[in-house]
């Protein structure tokens, strides 16, 4: 398989270093001082670091270079990693005391809390997802590295917003109840059907900026475009349905434990 020449993305490495260093400093140095009775477990830290690694995989060589120059389908993989995979890991990796300090300060909370609810978060995140697949915007991403960087940063931010109702650890911006989380994620799995259908069944190449670059990998432009639609709908949908299944089983287990506690209390009276 052809791989583009190795290229170090210094901007991505710098941001990932800052995300990693600031997090580890906060939980391991500031945590014992600010939250001495709530140590951050190694598992929680690992979840956050896997989220950072996901951003690196999506934004570094070779995925970034292939997505920018050759395959729109790999570009779609980038979008799934940045909006659906990395954000929930980053949120779940924040201990509640740190999440409250990051998101609950007076500069962030007043504007974040209103849009971190399910309805505005849904329309903002899905609206951005649809917008960045507009051919003119895709062409801008392919031809301008700076625009590509800004759009992916916005996509990551919208992804964090999207996952707040499901994965927030901040007490000031709590999660939605499990049944509503499932409805919310199901809605996210349905809306991409429209653009995915255009990509999969179109008989015209919608993204001329890629030209015939996909031929390097043995694909026509239409085949690459159709593959992107399949990834968007099938892979993205299965991923979200996997989350729905996990939420369902955890909720059912919690309800069952609560019923057992009520029965025990009833028998002791």
């Amino acid at each position: 398989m052809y791989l583009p020449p190795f290229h170090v993305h210094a901007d991505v490495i710098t941001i990932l270093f800052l995300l990693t260093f600031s997090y580890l400093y906060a939980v391991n140095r500031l945590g014992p001082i600010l939250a001495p009775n709530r140590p951050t477990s190694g598992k929680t830290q690992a979840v956050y670091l896997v989220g950072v690694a996901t951003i690196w995989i999506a934004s570094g060589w070779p995925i970034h270079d292939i997505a920018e120059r050759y395959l729109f389908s790999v570009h779609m993989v980038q979008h799934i990693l940045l909006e659906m995979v990395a954000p929930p890991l980053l949120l779940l990796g924040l201990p509640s005391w740190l999440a409250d300090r990051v998101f609950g300060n007076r500069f962030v909370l007043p504007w974040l809390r209103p849009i971190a609810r399910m309805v505005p978060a849904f329309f903002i995140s899905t609206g951005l997802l649809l917008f960045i697949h507009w051919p003119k915007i895709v062409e801008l991403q392919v031809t301008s590295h700076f625009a590509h960087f800004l759009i992916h940063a916005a996509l990551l931010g919208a992804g964090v917003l999207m996952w707040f109702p499901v994965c927030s650890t901040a007490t000031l911006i709590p999660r939605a109840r499990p049944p509503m989380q499932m409805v919310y994620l199901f809605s996210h799995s349905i809306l991409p059907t429209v653009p995915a259908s255009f990509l999969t069944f179109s008989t015209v190449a919608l993204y001329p900026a890629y030209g015939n670059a996909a031929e390097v990998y043995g694909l026509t432009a239409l085949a690459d475009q159709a593959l992107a639609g399949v990834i968007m709908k099938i892979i993205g949908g299965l991923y979200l349905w996997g989350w729905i299944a996990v939420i369902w089983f955890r909720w059912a287990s919690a309800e069952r434990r609560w019923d057992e506690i009520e029965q025990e209390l009833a028998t002791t009276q």
Side-chain angles (χ1 to χ4, degrees):
M1 183 182 71
Y2 172 77
L3 290 178
F6 179 75
H7 177 66
V8 175
H9 298 279
D11 49 355
V12 174
I13 292 176
T14 300
I15 291 174
L16 295 182
F17 172 78
L18 292 174
L19 286 174
T20 302
F21 176 80
S22 58
Y23 174 81
L24 292 177
Y25 182 83
V27 298
N28 294 311
R29 291 296 184 89
L30 300 181
I33 300 173
L34 300 176
N37 298 322
R38 294 184 289 173
T40 304
S41 68
K43 180 180 178 180
T44 299
Q45 295 184 46
V47 168
Y48 179 90
L49 294 177
V50 171
V52 174
T54 302
I55 300 174
W56 174 67
I57 292 171
S59 304
W61 181 90
I63 287 182
H64 174 85
D65 301 79
I66 295 173
E68 191 174 59
R69 302 176 189 175
Y70 300 100
L71 295 176
F72 181 67
S73 54
V74 176
H75 203 140
M76 189 65 69
V77 172
Q78 275 189 306
H79 291 177
I80 289 177
L81 292 175
L82 291 174
E83 186 179 40
M84 295 187 182
V85 180
L89 296 174
L90 296 177
L91 287 173
L92 291 173
L94 292 177
S96 59
W97 65 267
L98 181 56
D100 280 338
R101 286 185 173 270
V102 172
F103 303 120
N105 68 76
R106 61 190 179 92
F107 299 105
V108 176
L109 187 62
W111 62 264
L112 178 60
R113 182 154 52 186
I115 63 174
R117 303 179 188 276
M118 286 191 297
V119 173
F122 174 81
F123 283 106
I124 292 173
S125 58
T126 55
L128 179 65
L129 184 65
L130 296 175
F131 174 72
I132 64 175
H133 289 99
W134 183 33
K136 290 293 184 182
I137 300 302
V138 171
E139 182 177 357
L140 180 62
Q141 294 178 69
V142 172
T143 56
S144 170
H145 177 75
F146 182 67
H148 201 171
F149 174 82
L150 290 180
I151 290 171
H152 279 188
L155 185 66
L156 180 64
V160 171
L161 184 65
M162 165 188 167
W163 287 94
F164 251 104
V166 179
C167 299
S168 172
T169 58
T171 58
L172 298 174
I173 311 177
R175 304 176 187 180
R177 290 182 55 81
M180 296 307 299
Q181 291 181 22
M182 291 185 281
V183 172
Y184 175 71
L185 292 180
F186 179 74
S187 300
H188 273 285
S189 72
I190 295 300
L191 189 61
T193 300
V194 177
S197 298
F198 278 108
L199 293 173
T200 304
F201 300 110
S202 176
T203 57
V204 178
L206 300 176
Y207 303 106
Y210 280 92
N212 296 316
E215 292 179 356
V216 174
Y217 295 91
L219 295 173
T220 65
L222 285 177
D224 178 41
Q225 186 174 282
L227 180 58
V230 171
I231 292 171
M232 185 181 200
K233 177 55 185 172
I234 305 300
I235 304 302
L238 289 176
Y239 174 77
L240 291 174
W241 294 343
W243 270 90
I244 292 171
V246 170
I247 294 169
W248 164 261
F249 284 116
R250 287 187 174 180
W251 178 50
S253 177
E255 289 292 317
R256 186 161 50 249
R257 286 198 300 269
W258 179 248
D259 290 340
E260 292 173 354
I261 292 173
E262 287 183 330
Q263 291 177 1
E264 290 178 4
L265 291 174
T267 56
T268 58
Q269 291 178 355

